[in-house]
Amino acid sequence: MSATMNGKPLLETKGVSKSFGPVQALTKVDFDVYPGEVIALVGDNGAGKSTLIKGIAGIYGFDEGDVYFDGKKVSIHSPREAAALGIEVVYQDLALADNLDVVANMFLGREWTQGVPSTTGAQEATTGLRKYLRNLLPLTEIDMEKRAVRTLDELAVTTLRSVRLPVSSLSGGQRQSVAIAKAVLWNSKVVILDEPTAALGVAQTRQVLNLVRRLAEKNLGVVVISHNLHDIFKVADRITVLRLGHKVTTYIAKETTEQEVVHAITAGQLTRVPGMTQ
Amino acid sequence: MTDIIQESDESVQSALLASQAPQSPAEYLNAMWRRIRSGDIGTLPIVLGLVVIAIIFQTANQNFLTPRNLVNIVIQMAGIAVIAYGMVYVLLLGEIDLSAGYVSAVGGVSAAILLRDSLMNPSLAWIDWWNVIPIALLITTAIGFLHGFIITSFQLPSFIVTLAGLLAWNGVVLMIVGDGGTVNIQNPVVRNLASEVLPPIWSWIIIGLFIASYGVLDFMTANARRKAGLRAKPTPIMIGQLVIMAAIGAFVAYIFNINRALTSAAPPQQGMPVIAVIMLVMLMVLTFVAERTRFGRYVYAVGGNKEAARRAGIRVERIRVLVFMVSGLMAGMGGIILASRLKSVATDAGGGNLLLYVIAAAVIGGTSLFGGRGKVVSAVLGALVVASVENGMGLLNVSSGVKFVVTGLVLLAAVVIDALSRRGQQTGR
Ligand SMILES: Nc1ncnc2c1ncn2[C@@H]1O[C@H](COP(=O)(O)OP(=O)(O)OP(=O)(O)O)[C@@H](O)[C@H]1O
Ligand SMILES: [Mg+2]
């Protein structure tokens, strides 16, 4: 996998920490993502995995440490800013609105309207007053539907009967596929998936894992959080282990075993200073 | 990074679309039936309800279905429907506005007081119907803003804040009108708003335009979708719907244009009430906003999954404040209509059953109390039910005790249907 690690990392955190009152959820964590790779983030419940990605995604800020994107230091204060950089997150608790249909969910917050050129960049092409007026312009439903269908098609998501069904009527795997396709639609560079296969059956898990691999083939940086090491070894190039808010180490998937990773997650291979790896 | 998408004219070819070959009318109806069975019952219960109501009251009193009384029902429902439009938006968010009744009274009384004072105070002589109405609407919209602002900045339940509003704005109306007082409306335009009718030909023109524009839009959409290679509504279905709508529309226009004067010696009374036109126009505007714009989409999204909306970058608090402003605006409009109907504003304005009727109208029409599900048109259908029941019981001279019980039962039935269909939708995966 060293081939995938050529060049600069797309996304990097250096020494990030976060506490919730007395709970130290993250302590000086270094983490990086390269284009074209799938990197897994593993750790026991409460290890700080969700906290790390929520910090990256701008849901809340880190208490200390820096985030670099494309080599440049960035500070991300909102999901919208993360999206503007090209970071998309598929959350553990699916961030889909059940009452809206597939197309509406894929375009939520970035709907195309008449009078403004359609773009798949996360940045709005409008400024000033027009930005507000745009909220009352007619939506261009047909263009959005075509685009949604094309994206689902490129990702070989073929089990959907219609993109105009409310999301509440879809299966777990279909919902997950929609959530991932939504992340891809926006020319994103880094896609972060929090437990994408939790609660999925065998066939649906395979379907989603294939999807994850296809994202990396499109040269995106893909971060996958999962408790299922079996799944992880199927898709991941590298594996970063968190324990109690500290980073334990990062493994190259081909050069390690499930056993070694389990050991790192649970017991004390913590022989080095937390946060310092390799 | 922001590359502009040039959608090519050729249709999308895809496996997903291949499975979406055009539907035959039979398949379309089949899919509709599946939706109904899975709990998406739409306006079905209400149509049945209206038929039952018509049969019961017509059997009890022969005057119920006369043109004169039907037009009365339309005039009775207008104020309720217009306020309920705003309530639909609030309910779509999963919130409630208990102050709508008295905020509407604030709208009515503001207009009435300003118009009265303009007759006595030369410095207010510039006040006339065309500026007093916007002023009143501005006041009620500001009240809606205040409610929304308090709800979002202190993270309070809308139930409590608007309950406080219910009391406070009732108090404000009492203070303005004065104990036991009444403010009469002299201004002819505002005074006659609720009773004015258009010349008979306009019934045909307005209802015709309404249906024609619906049909044209429907056909254009289907055409564009077909050209884009997307599944479209089958033409026979569209024609069928249009024929049904045209038949209903023609019937309504016909009823409006029958002379409803009580004696043949009296001057003829016929034509469409102006407030019916206002109700129709507001229906179109608010439906467009709810279903065809980003703002409307965000209202549904916040009501469906607030957290998803927030993560999608939607400014949830802003949407909530704006929706309470819409509610205030529509309450003001309804208040002016109601004031015009009574040609005065008294201390009891905005009270009594009004708030319950408004909420009942929205819910009976099929808007969910749980947020995210419903349509603006449900306000009209629900208001029609509520006004019919009220009117019918008025004809039967039943006591107000019975009226309250019956209205309560109708509301309960609507809420139960809502809860059941919601459950049906969740298990219908
Ligand atoms: N919003 C919050 N407020 C307070 N504590 C929090 C909050 N979010 C997370 N925590 C705490 O931070 C720690 C890390 O939580 P986090 O959700 O990141 O774990 P995780 O690795 O994602 O676990 P899981 O595998 O269960 O999803 C836990 O102790 C958790 O209780
Ligand atoms: Mg987690």
Side-chain angles (χ1 to χ4, degrees):
Chain A
M1 287 307 115
S2 48
T4 61
M5 286 186 52
N6 281 340
K8 302 179 299 186
L10 263 174
L11 175 72
E12 230 182 334
T13 70
K14 288 196 177 151
V16 293
S17 300
K18 173 78 190 171
S19 59
F20 297 101
V23 182
Q24 186 72 27
L26 285 179
T27 314
K28 294 200 177 295
V29 172
D30 295 342
F31 179 66
D32 50 17
V33 186
Y34 288 82
E37 75 163 347
V38 176
I39 179 160
L41 194 55
V42 300
D44 231 332
N45 293 117
K49 308 180 294 291
S50 298
T51 306
L52 178 61
I53 60 153
K54 281 179 182 164
I56 293 171
I59 304 269
Y60 36 62
F62 292 118
D63 300 336
E64 58 170 332
D66 297 319
V67 180
Y68 294 83
F69 191 83
D70 254 346
K72 282 189 287 291
K73 189 170 152 183
V74 291
S75 56
I76 301 167
H77 300 291
S78 71
R80 185 157 267 179
E81 287 178 25
L85 287 171
I87 302 172
E88 292 283 335
V89 185
V90 179
Y91 290 96
Q92 186 168 12
D93 36 351
L94 283 172
L96 298 177
D98 267 3
N99 58 331
L100 298 181
D101 65 30
V102 173
V103 180
N105 266 290
M106 288 176 68
F107 279 84
L108 192 58
R110 297 177 273 202
E111 292 81 1
W112 289 347
T113 63
Q114 273 172 25
V116 183
S118 306
T119 150
T120 52
Q123 230 119 30
E124 291 273 281
T126 49
T127 49
L129 195 59
R130 279 175 63 111
K131 206 173 103 196
Y132 296 102
L133 284 179
R134 194 173 182 196
N135 291 319
L136 290 174
L137 292 177
L139 300 172
T140 47
E141 294 281 1
I142 291 176
D143 290 348
M144 288 195 279
E145 184 164 341
K146 274 163 76 175
R147 178 67 191 202
V149 165
R150 200 194 314 142
T151 305
L152 288 163
D153 201 46
E154 276 168 16
L155 296 173
V157 177
T158 50
T159 62
L160 281 181
R161 240 185 325 124
S162 159
V163 288
R164 286 301 182 187
L165 285 174
V167 164
S168 61
S169 67
L170 303 184
S171 76
Q174 288 172 329
R175 292 158 66 90
Q176 195 59 258
S177 304
V178 169
I180 295 173
K182 172 185 181 178
V184 172
L185 193 149
W186 297 100
N187 285 353
S188 42
K189 295 185 176 168
V190 175
V191 176
I192 303 174
L193 304 139
D194 195 353
E195 310 225 21
T197 56
L200 293 190
V202 180
Q204 299 202 335
T205 296
R206 181 152 24 120
Q207 184 188 319
V208 169
L209 292 182
N210 286 337
L211 197 49
V212 169
R213 257 332 313 173
R214 271 196 293 278
L215 300 189
E217 280 158 21
K218 286 162 145 294
N219 215 32
L220 301 176
V222 186
V223 182
V224 178
I225 296 180
S226 176
H227 288 287
N228 188 331
L229 290 183
H230 195 64
D231 289 353
I232 284 174
F233 273 87
K234 266 192 229 153
V235 293
D237 302 308
R238 292 191 301 147
I239 302 169
T240 292
V241 182
L242 291 184
R243 176 144 47 81
L244 298 173
H246 296 270
K247 179 164 127 182
V248 181
T249 186
T250 296
Y251 295 105
I252 307 282
K254 288 240 171 88
E255 298 165 6
T256 185
T257 62
E258 282 193 31
Q259 229 168 359
E260 197 178 3
V261 175
V262 169
H263 196 71
I265 291 172
T266 55
Q269 251 205 0
L270 195 65
T271 51
R272 284 157 293 215
V273 182
M276 298 252 309
T277 57
Q278 274 100 39
Chain B
M1 199 204 304
T2 48
D3 48 351
I4 306 297
I5 305 301
Q6 303 277 271
E7 285 295 346
S8 53
D9 264 354
E10 107 251 26
S11 59
V12 182
Q13 292 300 324
S14 94
L16 182 60
L17 279 182
S19 69
Q20 315 213 344
Q23 288 170 304
S24 73
E27 283 165 341
Y28 183 88
L29 292 175
N30 225 324
M32 201 156 107
W33 176 236
R34 268 202 310 275
R35 273 208 307 280
I36 290 172
R37 290 228 336 237
S38 73
D40 187 2
I41 42 181
T43 52
L44 203 62
I46 209 159
V47 174
L48 296 177
L50 280 171
V51 171
V52 172
I53 288 168
I55 292 172
I56 291 177
F57 285 120
Q58 180 65 13
T59 332
N61 186 322
Q62 296 295 310
N63 286 328
F64 185 72
L65 289 183
T66 55
R68 184 182 178 82
N69 195 50
L70 290 175
V71 172
N72 275 342
I73 291 177
V74 170
I75 293 170
Q76 266 173 305
M77 73 183 270
I80 298 170
V82 169
I83 304 174
Y85 289 155
M87 190 64 74
V88 167
Y89 273 75
V90 176
L91 292 178
L92 280 176
L93 278 186
E95 316 251 3
I96 196 150
D97 186 352
L98 298 180
S99 71
Y102 286 113
V103 172
S104 82
V106 171
V109 83
S110 310
I113 287 282
L114 285 171
L115 286 172
R116 188 191 63 186
D117 289 358
S118 73
L119 297 179
M120 303 184 285
N121 186 341
S123 69
L124 290 177
W126 53 274
I127 286 180
D128 202 349
W129 69 271
W130 57 266
N131 50 35
V132 87
I133 291 176
I135 291 174
L137 297 183
L138 214 63
I139 292 172
T140 58
T141 308
I143 292 174
F145 171 79
L146 184 67
H147 292 159
F149 181 76
I150 294 172
I151 289 165
T152 52
S153 26
F154 299 104
Q155 312 250 19
L156 294 169
S158 53
F159 178 84
I160 299 298
V161 173
T162 57
L163 184 61
L166 180 152
L167 275 171
W169 300 117
N170 185 12
V172 168
V173 171
L174 287 180
M175 287 190 296
I176 297 178
V177 178
D179 279 338
T182 303
V183 184
N184 289 317
I185 298 174
Q186 313 275 334
N187 183 289
V189 175
V190 177
R191 194 181 159 82
N192 294 332
L193 186 65
S195 50
E196 197 73 67
V197 292
L198 297 171
I201 183 72
W202 282 97
S203 308
W204 294 104
I205 295 175
I206 288 168
I207 293 177
L209 271 178
F210 181 71
I211 294 172
S213 53
Y214 176 88
V216 167
L217 268 179
D218 215 24
F219 271 94
M220 272 170 43
T221 308
N223 237 338
R225 290 183 62 84
R226 218 168 282 127
K227 242 170 79 185
L230 299 170
R231 176 174 279 183
K233 205 195 251 184
T235 311
I237 296 281
M238 279 192 292
I239 292 174
Q241 284 178 338
L242 215 55
V243 167
I244 293 172
M245 281 183 69
I248 294 173
F251 182 70
V252 172
Y254 171 74
I255 297 284
F256 278 146
N257 288 355
I258 295 176
N259 182 2
R260 40 186 188 270
L262 284 176
T263 60
S264 48
Q269 283 177 20
Q270 56 187 141
M272 188 172 184
V274 171
I275 49 174
V277 181
I278 296 176
M279 192 164 67
L280 216 54
V281 170
M282 290 317 295
L283 170 69
M284 295 205 294
V285 171
L286 291 174
T287 297
F288 169 80
V289 171
E291 294 179 16
R292 295 275 170 264
T293 70
R294 278 185 167 189
F295 174 70
R297 181 65 44 90
Y298 297 167
V299 172
Y300 280 92
V302 172
N305 186 342
K306 197 181 282 181
E307 193 49 36
R310 183 167 290 128
R311 288 178 192 176
I314 295 169
R315 294 192 173 81
V316 173
E317 309 311 336
R318 188 178 295 174
I319 299 291
R320 293 171 74 202
V321 173
L322 283 168
V323 164
F324 279 96
M325 289 170 72
V326 171
S327 181
L329 174 67
M330 297 322 293
M333 219 177 265
I336 292 169
I337 291 174
L338 292 174
S340 164
R341 227 181 90 202
L342 298 174
K343 309 199 186 307
S344 67
V345 181
T347 44
D348 62 348
N353 282 344
L354 181 61
L355 173 68
L356 275 183
Y357 279 173
V358 165
I359 296 174
V363 175
I364 291 169
T367 293
S368 174
L369 283 169
F370 305 100
R373 224 152 45 82
K375 288 184 165 195
V376 179
V377 70
S378 64
V380 177
L381 296 170
L384 183 56
V385 170
V386 169
S388 301
V389 172
E390 157 111 347
N391 172 288
M393 288 190 301
L395 287 184
L396 298 184
N397 259 328
V398 299
S399 69
S400 26
V402 176
K403 265 193 199 175
F404 286 7
V405 170
V406 171
T407 312
L409 289 177
V410 172
L411 177 58
L412 190 65
V415 179
V416 169
I417 291 172
D418 175 30
L420 288 180
S421 74
R422 199 172 115 92
R423 200 154 68 199
Q425 276 201 329
Q426 269 165 358
T427 52
R429 284 202 185 146

